[in-house]
Amino acid sequence: MKKTTIICFLSFIFISLSSSEINRYNRKIEFGVEAEGGFSNNYIKATDILVKDLVIDIAKLADDLYGKDFVVDFNVGAKTWLALNFSEKFRLNFFWGVDASGYSSISQNFFDLLCKGFEVNSSETIDVKLFGDVYALSGFTFKTKIKDYGLHFTPVLFTPLFHVNETKATARYTSNEEGLIRAEADLPLSIYSIVDLDGIEDNVKDSAFVQDMVAEIIKNTGFDFTGEIERPFSSSFDLGLFTRIPIVPGRLKYKAYKRYWGVFEQKNALGLLNETNSYTKEYGDDDAVYSRVTKTVHRPFVLGLEGAWRPFGKWCTILPKVNLAVRNPYSDEAEVYGEYNLSADFRLLNVVGLKFATAYENLIFKHSMGFMINAHVLEIDAGVQTRGADFARSFGVTGFAAYVGLKAGF
């Protein structure tokens, strides 16, 4: 009896170990929608703020962040697609969507200043950074197979709707032995947009306004190309090499500039003892300046490897992925960083499934758990994610994200 059970089990595994593509295709024709959103920081955990009496220890925060910036980020995205999977030599997927992401950071010495105060005869600069992008995009992916090689081609048209340069704000303070304390802050903020933001709240949102906006989107569309070649190296392992190449930049035609500032000066701090001190403070913002300026924007360049390993059959898939990315390529804002994603996908008869993943993408660590329910005609995918810019603390819910997808077809 035991031998029979073992033989049946081994036979099941042997039958399951058939060569397959990295990504699954469950329907010949499929329509789908999905949405995701998340935010995070790299220090404060949910358990720190979901308490009756909220207390944030600035001194501990400054010590824990030593040598690091305090970072807050977000991302929001939505996508719709129509896929035609007629055979392994003809798969066509049309898609449309929007994608928004951004971050802000403040240098650790800001918290030192809050908890330790000024030092005599000292001067220091505190850096604040802002960055953000919003894209609308559309394209298609064509997949075919030539001998043992799978080929994927994905041309994408994208339009940047908003772009915030990596902006550096500064805060400086000085002090001396005579009791002078001076602090000043300056935040110059530039927002590039596809439409003129001057008086946009007062503009009538009629059909003419919508037509003008659509015309601007079409005229200022960029183009990039993603290609991938994949090949099975055994009956259970597939490996793919992929790249995204920016070709034509998207263009933003309008710029809104606004400056926020503040100055505090105490001329005789020692005079606090006998009320002879004097101080002045000023703060405010300058009027916004609107102009017509062309700003070119590319989506990131990407080069990487991904694979699919099915050690026990199609019910268990391990999906590793690594890549090198360059944000804002071809510009003086270019930033190079690495990314990875490691996930495990478990499916029972392709009807129910669980997926676990850990990743570092877009400079953020992410750990997710999701589920799948597939009735063939209809499939639901959903999941949650903890995230953050610090690896260790990202497990402690320094950020949260959720995603949901709906697929229908036959």
Side-chain angles (χ1 to χ4, degrees):
M1 182 67 182
K2 291 183 178 180
K3 290 183 179 180
T4 303
T5 303
I6 293 173
I7 291 173
C8 291
F9 178 71
L10 293 176
S11 298
F12 171 76
I13 291 178
F14 180 77
I15 293 171
S16 299
L17 293 177
S18 58
S19 177
S20 57
E21 297 169 296
I22 291 176
N23 297 303
R24 299 175 183 270
Y25 302 93
N26 295 324
R27 283 160 283 276
K28 295 289 186 181
I29 299 177
E30 178 181 271
F31 175 78
V33 294
E34 66 180 15
E36 65 174 338
F39 66 93
S40 71
N41 73 95
N42 63 331
Y43 182 79
I44 301 174
K45 298 181 290 187
T47 52
D48 295 333
I49 58 177
L50 298 177
V51 294
K52 182 179 179 180
D53 299 313
L54 176 61
V55 177
I56 298 178
D57 190 338
I58 299 296
K60 186 175 186 304
L61 190 156
D63 290 338
D64 291 344
L65 283 176
Y66 183 77
K68 301 178 183 178
D69 293 342
F70 178 69
V71 179
V72 177
D73 80 283
F74 78 93
N75 80 280
V76 179
K79 182 180 177 182
T80 302
W81 69 89
L82 174 64
L84 307 174
N85 301 312
F86 294 142
S87 71
E88 64 179 10
K89 292 190 176 182
F90 187 90
R91 303 189 190 280
L92 194 58
N93 184 336
F94 299 93
F95 58 87
W96 311 262
V98 293
D99 180 65
S101 62
Y103 72 83
S104 63
S105 68
I106 184 168
S107 55
Q108 176 263 340
N109 54 0
F110 170 75
F111 302 99
D112 279 338
L113 173 63
L114 291 181
C115 65
K116 300 176 182 178
F118 295 96
E119 294 182 5
V120 177
N121 295 323
S122 65
S123 178
E124 193 162 357
T125 299
I126 298 168
D127 290 330
V128 179
K129 296 180 182 179
L130 298 172
F131 178 85
D133 275 311
V134 181
Y135 295 105
L137 52 90
S138 64
F140 68 88
T141 298
F142 175 69
K143 300 183 179 182
T144 188
K145 189 172 184 180
I146 300 176
K147 294 185 177 180
D148 292 332
Y149 294 90
L151 302 176
H152 308 176
F153 306 98
T154 307
V156 176
L157 296 173
F158 71 93
T159 301
L161 304 180
F162 297 95
H163 174 75
V164 178
N165 276 356
E166 186 171 279
T167 302
K168 275 194 175 182
T170 57
R172 300 182 183 87
Y173 68 87
T174 58
S175 65
N176 61 28
E177 295 174 348
E178 284 71 40
L180 171 68
I181 298 175
R182 178 180 175 85
E184 53 187 323
D186 186 74
L187 171 60
L189 181 62
S190 296
I191 301 176
Y192 297 87
S193 59
I194 193 71
V195 295
D196 192 353
L197 298 180
D198 186 13
I200 191 170
E201 295 181 356
D202 301 326
N203 289 339
V204 178
K205 310 304 187 297
D206 55 13
S207 59
F209 175 83
V210 175
Q211 290 175 4
D212 290 342
M213 186 171 66
V214 172
E216 286 294 323
I217 290 175
I218 294 174
K219 286 190 299 183
N220 297 288
T221 294
F223 173 74
D224 56 44
F225 176 82
T226 299
E228 179 171 4
I229 179 170
E230 68 175 67
R231 182 183 186 278
F233 285 85
S234 72
S235 59
S236 61
F237 181 69
D238 295 79
L239 185 66
L241 172 67
F242 63 91
T243 185
R244 179 203 287 161
I245 303 174
I247 299 175
V248 179
R251 288 176 170 79
L252 296 154
K253 291 297 186 69
Y254 298 94
K255 176 183 177 181
Y257 173 84
K258 193 173 182 66
R259 175 176 171 262
Y260 300 86
W261 55 271
V263 178
F264 170 84
E265 185 174 271
Q266 182 141 358
K267 295 184 178 179
N268 181 20
L270 298 178
L272 290 170
L273 300 175
N274 55 17
E275 298 184 350
T276 61
N277 70 304
S278 63
Y279 72 90
T280 58
K281 61 178 179 179
E282 294 182 82
Y283 58 89
D285 57 89
D286 298 338
D287 292 338
V289 178
Y290 300 94
S291 57
R292 189 176 178 91
V293 177
T294 299
K295 175 70 174 178
T296 58
V297 177
H298 285 284
R299 293 204 304 161
F301 166 83
V302 180
L303 175 65
L305 290 168
E306 67 175 339
W309 181 41
R310 300 177 175 92
F312 309 112
K314 293 183 179 180
W315 66 273
C316 172
T317 306
I318 310 298
L319 297 158
K321 180 181 178 181
V322 293
N323 63 264
L324 180 71
V326 182
R327 175 186 284 164
N328 298 318
Y330 318 133
S331 76
D332 55 6
E333 301 174 43
E335 181 179 6
V336 181
Y337 55 94
E339 297 182 321
Y340 69 82
N341 189 309
L342 179 62
S343 63
D345 191 344
F346 303 95
R347 300 200 176 194
L348 179 60
L349 301 177
N350 205 29
V351 175
V352 295
L354 289 173
K355 186 172 183 177
F356 304 91
T358 181
Y360 178 69
E361 297 173 333
N362 202 23
L363 305 177
I364 300 299
F365 294 99
K366 307 172 182 179
H367 317 286
S368 58
M369 180 181 71
F371 71 89
M372 177 276 295
I373 300 176
N374 180 24
H376 190 68
V377 175
L378 184 66
E379 179 180 334
I380 299 174
D381 294 274
V384 294
Q385 182 183 95
T386 64
R387 51 187 282 156
D390 181 88
F391 177 75
R393 289 185 173 273
S394 63
F395 289 95
V397 196
T398 53
F400 180 81
Y403 66 90
V404 62
L406 181 65
K407 306 173 186 178
F410 56 88

Coordinates of all heavy atoms in Angstrom, one line a residue, residues 345-410:
D345 N 4.1 31.4 -5.4 CA 2.7 31.3 -5.8 C 2.2 29.9 -5.7 O 2.7 29.0 -6.3 CB 2.5 31.8 -7.3 CG 1.1 32.0 -7.7 OD1 0.2 31.5 -7.0 OD2 0.9 32.6 -8.7
F346 N 1.2 29.6 -4.8 CA 0.7 28.3 -4.6 C -0.8 28.3 -5.0 O -1.6 29.1 -4.7 CB 0.7 28.0 -3.1 CG 2.1 28.0 -2.5 CD1 2.5 29.2 -1.8 CD2 3.0 27.0 -2.5 CE1 3.8 29.3 -1.3 CE2 4.2 27.1 -2.0 CZ 4.6 28.2 -1.3
R347 N -1.1 27.2 -5.9 CA -2.4 27.1 -6.4 C -2.9 25.7 -6.3 O -2.2 24.7 -6.7 CB -2.5 27.6 -7.9 CG -2.0 29.0 -8.0 CD -2.5 29.6 -9.3 NE -2.2 31.0 -9.4 CZ -2.7 31.9 -10.3 NH1 -3.6 31.4 -11.2 NH2 -2.4 33.1 -10.3
L348 N -4.1 25.5 -5.8 CA -4.8 24.2 -5.7 C -5.8 24.1 -6.9 O -6.8 24.8 -6.9 CB -5.5 24.1 -4.4 CG -6.2 22.8 -4.2 CD1 -5.3 21.6 -4.2 CD2 -7.0 22.8 -2.8
L349 N -5.4 23.2 -7.9 CA -6.2 22.9 -9.0 C -6.5 24.2 -9.8 O -7.5 24.3 -10.5 CB -7.5 22.2 -8.6 CG -7.3 20.9 -7.9 CD1 -8.7 20.3 -7.5 CD2 -6.6 19.9 -8.8
N350 N -5.7 25.3 -9.6 CA -5.9 26.6 -10.2 C -7.2 27.2 -9.9 O -7.8 27.9 -10.7 CB -5.7 26.5 -11.8 CG -5.3 27.8 -12.4 OD1 -4.6 28.6 -11.7 ND2 -5.6 28.0 -13.6
V351 N -7.8 26.8 -8.8 CA -9.1 27.4 -8.4 C -8.9 28.3 -7.2 O -9.5 29.4 -7.2 CB -10.0 26.2 -7.9 CG1 -11.3 26.8 -7.4 CG2 -10.3 25.3 -9.1
V352 N -8.1 28.0 -6.2 CA -7.7 28.9 -5.1 C -6.2 29.0 -5.0 O -5.5 28.0 -5.4 CB -8.4 28.4 -3.8 CG1 -9.9 28.5 -3.9 CG2 -7.9 27.0 -3.4
G353 N -5.7 30.1 -4.5 CA -4.3 30.2 -4.4 C -3.9 31.2 -3.4 O -4.7 32.1 -3.0
L354 N -2.6 31.1 -3.0 CA -2.0 32.1 -2.1 C -0.7 32.5 -2.7 O 0.0 31.8 -3.4 CB -1.7 31.5 -0.7 CG -2.9 31.2 0.2 CD1 -2.5 30.4 1.4 CD2 -3.6 32.5 0.6
K355 N -0.3 33.8 -2.5 CA 0.9 34.3 -3.0 C 1.6 35.1 -1.9 O 1.0 36.0 -1.3 CB 0.7 35.2 -4.2 CG 2.0 35.6 -4.9 CD 1.7 36.3 -6.2 CE 3.0 36.7 -6.9 NZ 2.8 37.4 -8.3
F356 N 2.9 34.9 -1.7 CA 3.7 35.6 -0.8 C 4.9 36.2 -1.5 O 5.5 35.5 -2.4 CB 4.3 34.7 0.3 CG 3.2 34.0 1.1 CD1 2.7 32.7 0.6 CD2 2.6 34.5 2.2 CE1 1.7 32.0 1.3 CE2 1.5 33.9 2.9 CZ 1.1 32.6 2.4
A357 N 5.3 37.4 -1.2 CA 6.4 38.1 -1.9 C 7.1 39.1 -1.0 O 6.5 39.6 -0.1 CB 5.8 38.8 -3.1
T358 N 8.4 39.2 -1.3 CA 9.2 40.3 -0.7 C 10.0 40.9 -1.8 O 10.4 40.3 -2.8 CB 10.2 39.7 0.4 OG1 10.9 40.8 1.0 CG2 11.1 38.7 -0.2
A359 N 10.1 42.3 -1.7 CA 10.7 43.0 -2.9 C 11.3 44.3 -2.4 O 11.0 44.8 -1.3 CB 9.6 43.3 -3.9
Y360 N 12.2 44.8 -3.2 CA 12.7 46.2 -3.1 C 12.5 46.8 -4.4 O 13.2 46.5 -5.4 CB 14.2 46.1 -2.7 CG 14.8 47.5 -2.6 CD1 14.4 48.4 -1.5 CD2 15.8 48.0 -3.5 CE1 15.0 49.6 -1.4 CE2 16.3 49.2 -3.3 CZ 15.9 50.0 -2.3 OH 16.5 51.3 -2.2
E361 N 11.5 47.7 -4.5 CA 11.2 48.3 -5.8 C 10.9 49.8 -5.6 O 10.3 50.2 -4.6 CB 9.9 47.7 -6.4 CG 10.1 46.2 -6.7 CD 8.8 45.5 -7.2 OE1 7.7 46.0 -6.7 OE2 8.9 44.5 -7.9
N362 N 11.4 50.6 -6.5 CA 11.3 52.1 -6.5 C 11.8 52.6 -5.1 O 11.2 53.5 -4.5 CB 9.8 52.4 -6.7 CG 9.7 53.9 -7.2 OD1 10.6 54.5 -7.7 ND2 8.5 54.5 -7.0
L363 N 12.9 52.0 -4.6 CA 13.6 52.4 -3.4 C 12.8 52.1 -2.1 O 13.1 52.7 -1.1 CB 13.9 54.0 -3.5 CG 14.7 54.4 -4.7 CD1 14.9 56.0 -4.6 CD2 16.0 53.8 -4.8
I364 N 11.8 51.2 -2.2 CA 11.0 50.9 -1.1 C 11.0 49.4 -0.9 O 10.8 48.6 -1.9 CB 9.5 51.4 -1.3 CG1 9.5 52.9 -1.4 CG2 8.6 51.0 -0.1 CD1 10.1 53.7 -0.2
F365 N 11.1 48.9 0.4 CA 11.0 47.5 0.7 C 9.5 47.1 0.9 O 8.8 47.9 1.5 CB 11.7 47.1 2.0 CG 13.2 47.3 1.8 CD1 13.9 48.5 2.3 CD2 14.0 46.3 1.3 CE1 15.2 48.6 2.2 CE2 15.4 46.5 1.1 CZ 16.0 47.6 1.6
K366 N 9.1 46.0 0.3 CA 7.7 45.6 0.3 C 7.6 44.1 0.6 O 8.3 43.3 0.1 CB 7.0 45.9 -1.1 CG 7.2 47.3 -1.6 CD 6.7 47.4 -3.0 CE 7.0 48.8 -3.6 NZ 6.5 48.9 -5.0
H367 N 6.6 43.8 1.5 CA 6.3 42.4 1.8 C 4.8 42.2 1.7 O 4.1 42.8 2.4 CB 6.8 42.1 3.2 CG 8.2 42.7 3.5 ND1 9.4 42.1 3.0 CD2 8.6 43.7 4.2 CE1 10.4 42.9 3.4 NE2 9.9 43.8 4.1
S368 N 4.4 41.3 0.8 CA 3.0 41.2 0.5 C 2.5 39.7 0.7 O 3.2 38.8 0.6 CB 2.7 41.7 -0.9 OG 3.4 41.0 -1.9
M369 N 1.2 39.6 0.9 CA 0.5 38.4 0.9 C -0.9 38.6 0.2 O -1.6 39.5 0.5 CB 0.2 37.9 2.4 CG -0.5 36.6 2.5 SD -0.8 36.1 4.2 CE -2.1 37.3 4.7
G370 N -1.2 37.7 -0.7 CA -2.4 37.8 -1.5 C -3.1 36.5 -1.7 O -2.5 35.4 -1.4
F371 N -4.3 36.5 -2.2 CA -5.0 35.3 -2.4 C -5.7 35.4 -3.8 O -5.9 36.5 -4.3 CB -6.1 35.0 -1.4 CG -7.3 36.0 -1.4 CD1 -8.4 35.8 -2.1 CD2 -7.2 37.2 -0.6 CE1 -9.5 36.6 -2.2 CE2 -8.3 38.1 -0.6 CZ -9.4 37.8 -1.4
M372 N -6.1 34.3 -4.3 CA -6.7 34.2 -5.7 C -7.9 33.2 -5.6 O -7.8 32.1 -5.0 CB -5.7 33.8 -6.7 CG -6.2 33.6 -8.1 SD -7.0 31.9 -8.4 CE -5.6 30.9 -8.3
I373 N -9.0 33.6 -6.2 CA -10.1 32.7 -6.4 C -10.5 32.7 -7.8 O -10.8 33.7 -8.4 CB -11.3 33.1 -5.5 CG1 -11.0 33.1 -4.0 CG2 -12.5 32.2 -5.8 CD1 -12.1 33.6 -3.1
N374 N -10.4 31.5 -8.5 CA -10.6 31.4 -9.9 C -11.7 30.5 -10.3 O -11.7 29.3 -10.0 CB -9.3 31.0 -10.6 CG -9.4 30.8 -12.1 OD1 -10.3 31.5 -12.7 ND2 -8.6 30.0 -12.7
A375 N -12.8 31.1 -10.8 CA -13.9 30.2 -11.3 C -13.9 30.1 -12.8 O -14.9 29.9 -13.5 CB -15.3 30.9 -10.9
H376 N -12.7 30.3 -13.4 CA -12.4 30.3 -14.8 C -13.0 31.5 -15.5 O -12.3 32.3 -16.1 CB -12.8 29.0 -15.5 CG -12.3 28.9 -16.9 ND1 -11.0 28.7 -17.1 CD2 -12.9 29.0 -18.1 CE1 -10.8 28.7 -18.4 NE2 -11.9 28.9 -19.0
V377 N -14.3 31.6 -15.5 CA -15.0 32.7 -16.2 C -14.6 34.0 -15.4 O -14.5 35.1 -16.0 CB -16.5 32.5 -16.3 CG1 -17.2 33.8 -16.9 CG2 -16.8 31.3 -17.1
L378 N -14.5 33.9 -14.1 CA -14.3 35.1 -13.3 C -13.1 34.7 -12.3 O -13.1 33.7 -11.6 CB -15.5 35.5 -12.5 CG -15.4 36.8 -11.7 CD1 -15.2 38.0 -12.5 CD2 -16.7 36.9 -10.8
E379 N -12.2 35.7 -12.1 CA -11.1 35.5 -11.2 C -10.9 36.7 -10.3 O -11.0 37.9 -10.9 CB -9.8 35.1 -11.9 CG -8.6 35.0 -11.0 CD -7.3 34.6 -11.7 OE1 -7.4 34.1 -12.9 OE2 -6.2 35.0 -11.2
I380 N -10.7 36.6 -9.0 CA -10.5 37.7 -8.1 C -9.1 37.5 -7.5 O -8.7 36.5 -7.0 CB -11.5 37.8 -7.0 CG1 -12.9 38.0 -7.6 CG2 -11.2 38.9 -6.0 CD1 -14.0 37.9 -6.6
D381 N -8.3 38.6 -7.6 CA -7.0 38.6 -6.9 C -6.9 39.8 -6.0 O -7.3 40.9 -6.4 CB -5.8 38.8 -8.0 CG -5.7 37.6 -8.9 OD1 -5.0 36.6 -8.5 OD2 -6.3 37.6 -10.0
A382 N -6.5 39.6 -4.8 CA -6.4 40.7 -3.8 C -5.3 40.4 -2.8 O -4.9 39.3 -2.6 CB -7.7 40.9 -3.1
G383 N -4.8 41.5 -2.2 CA -3.7 41.3 -1.2 C -3.4 42.5 -0.5 O -3.9 43.6 -0.8
V384 N -2.6 42.4 0.5 CA -2.1 43.5 1.4 C -0.6 43.4 1.5 O 0.0 42.4 1.2 CB -2.7 43.4 2.8 CG1 -4.2 43.6 2.7 CG2 -2.4 42.1 3.5
Q385 N 0.0 44.6 1.9 CA 1.4 44.7 1.9 C 1.9 45.6 3.0 O 1.3 46.6 3.3 CB 1.8 45.3 0.5 CG 3.2 45.5 0.2 CD 3.4 46.2 -1.1 OE1 3.6 47.4 -1.2 NE2 3.4 45.4 -2.2
T386 N 2.9 45.2 3.7 CA 3.7 46.1 4.6 C 4.9 46.6 3.8 O 5.4 45.9 3.0 CB 4.1 45.4 5.9 OG1 5.0 44.4 5.6 CG2 2.9 44.8 6.6
R387 N 5.3 47.8 4.1 CA 6.3 48.4 3.3 C 7.0 49.5 4.1 O 6.6 50.0 5.1 CB 5.7 49.0 2.0 CG 4.5 49.9 2.2 CD 3.9 50.3 1.0 NE 4.6 51.4 0.3 CZ 4.5 51.6 -1.0 NH1 3.8 50.9 -1.8 NH2 5.2 52.6 -1.5
G388 N 8.2 50.0 3.5 CA 8.9 51.1 4.1 C 10.3 51.2 3.5 O 10.8 50.3 2.8
A389 N 10.9 52.3 3.7 CA 12.3 52.6 3.1 C 13.4 52.0 3.9 O 14.5 52.0 3.5 CB 12.5 54.1 3.0
D390 N 13.1 51.4 5.1 CA 14.1 50.7 5.9 C 13.7 49.3 6.0 O 12.5 48.9 6.3 CB 14.1 51.3 7.4 CG 15.1 50.6 8.2 OD1 16.3 51.1 8.2 OD2 14.7 49.7 8.9
F391 N 14.6 48.4 5.7 CA 14.3 46.9 5.5 C 13.7 46.3 6.8 O 12.7 45.7 6.9 CB 15.5 46.1 5.1 CG 15.3 44.7 5.0 CD1 14.5 44.1 4.0 CD2 15.8 43.8 6.0 CE1 14.3 42.8 3.9 CE2 15.6 42.4 5.9 CZ 14.8 41.9 4.8
A392 N 14.5 46.5 7.9 CA 14.0 45.9 9.2 C 12.7 46.4 9.7 O 11.8 45.7 10.1 CB 15.1 46.1 10.2
R393 N 12.5 47.7 9.6 CA 11.3 48.3 10.1 C 10.1 48.1 9.2 O 9.0 48.2 9.6 CB 11.5 49.8 10.4 CG 12.4 50.1 11.6 CD 12.5 51.6 11.9 NE 13.2 51.8 13.1 CZ 12.6 51.8 14.3 NH1 11.3 51.6 14.4 NH2 13.3 52.0 15.4
S394 N 10.4 47.8 7.9 CA 9.2 47.5 7.0 C 8.4 46.3 7.4 O 7.2 46.2 7.0 CB 9.8 47.4 5.5 OG 10.6 46.2 5.4
F395 N 9.0 45.4 8.1 CA 8.2 44.3 8.6 C 7.3 44.7 9.8 O 6.3 44.0 10.1 CB 9.1 43.2 9.2 CG 9.9 42.5 8.1 CD1 11.2 42.8 7.7 CD2 9.3 41.4 7.4 CE1 11.9 42.2 6.7 CE2 10.0 40.7 6.4 CZ 11.3 41.1 6.0
G396 N 7.5 45.9 10.4 CA 6.8 46.3 11.5 C 5.7 47.3 11.1 O 5.2 48.1 11.9
V397 N 5.2 47.3 9.9 CA 4.1 48.1 9.3 C 4.4 49.6 9.5 O 3.7 50.3 10.1 CB 2.8 47.7 10.0 CG1 1.6 48.3 9.2 CG2 2.6 46.2 10.1
T398 N 5.6 50.0 8.9 CA 5.8 51.4 8.8 C 5.1 52.0 7.6 O 5.1 53.2 7.3 CB 7.4 51.7 8.6 OG1 7.8 50.9 7.5 CG2 8.1 51.3 9.9
G399 N 4.5 51.1 6.8 CA 3.6 51.5 5.7 C 2.7 50.4 5.3 O 2.9 49.3 5.8
F400 N 1.7 50.7 4.5 CA 0.7 49.8 4.2 C 0.3 50.0 2.7 O 0.2 51.1 2.3 CB -0.5 49.9 5.1 CG -1.6 48.9 4.8 CD1 -1.6 47.6 5.3 CD2 -2.7 49.3 4.1 CE1 -2.6 46.7 5.0 CE2 -3.8 48.5 3.8 CZ -3.7 47.2 4.3
A401 N -0.1 48.9 2.1 CA -0.6 49.0 0.7 C -1.6 47.9 0.5 O -1.6 46.9 1.2 CB 0.5 48.9 -0.3
A402 N -2.5 48.1 -0.5 CA -3.5 47.0 -0.8 C -3.7 47.0 -2.3 O -3.5 48.1 -3.0 CB -4.8 47.3 -0.1
Y403 N -4.0 45.9 -2.9 CA -4.3 45.8 -4.3 C -5.5 44.8 -4.5 O -5.7 43.9 -3.7 CB -3.1 45.3 -5.1 CG -2.6 43.9 -4.8 CD1 -3.1 42.8 -5.5 CD2 -1.7 43.7 -3.8 CE1 -2.7 41.5 -5.2 CE2 -1.3 42.4 -3.5 CZ -1.8 41.3 -4.2 OH -1.4 40.0 -3.9
V404 N -6.2 45.0 -5.6 CA -7.3 44.2 -5.9 C -7.4 44.1 -7.5 O -7.2 45.1 -8.1 CB -8.6 44.6 -5.3 CG1 -9.0 46.0 -5.8 CG2 -9.8 43.7 -5.6
G405 N -7.7 43.0 -8.0 CA -7.8 42.8 -9.4 C -9.0 41.9 -9.8 O -9.3 40.9 -9.0
L406 N -9.6 42.1 -10.9 CA -10.8 41.4 -11.3 C -10.5 41.0 -12.8 O -10.3 41.9 -13.6 CB -12.1 42.1 -11.2 CG -13.4 41.4 -11.6 CD1 -13.6 40.3 -10.6 CD2 -14.5 42.4 -11.5
K407 N -10.6 39.7 -13.1 CA -10.4 39.2 -14.4 C -11.7 38.4 -14.9 O -12.2 37.6 -14.1 CB -9.2 38.3 -14.5 CG -7.9 38.9 -14.0 CD -6.8 37.9 -14.0 CE -5.5 38.5 -13.3 NZ -4.4 37.5 -13.2
A408 N -12.1 38.6 -16.1 CA -13.2 37.9 -16.6 C -13.0 37.4 -18.1 O -12.3 38.1 -18.8 CB -14.5 38.7 -16.6
G409 N -13.5 36.3 -18.5 CA -13.3 35.8 -19.8 C -13.6 34.3 -19.9 O -14.2 33.7 -19.1
F410 N -13.0 33.7 -21.0 CA -13.3 32.3 -21.2 C -12.1 31.7 -22.0 O -11.3 32.5 -22.6 CB -14.6 32.1 -21.9 CG -14.7 32.8 -23.2 CD1 -14.3 32.2 -24.4 CD2 -15.3 34.1 -23.3 CE1 -14.4 32.9 -25.6 CE2 -15.4 34.7 -24.5 CZ -14.9 34.2 -25.6

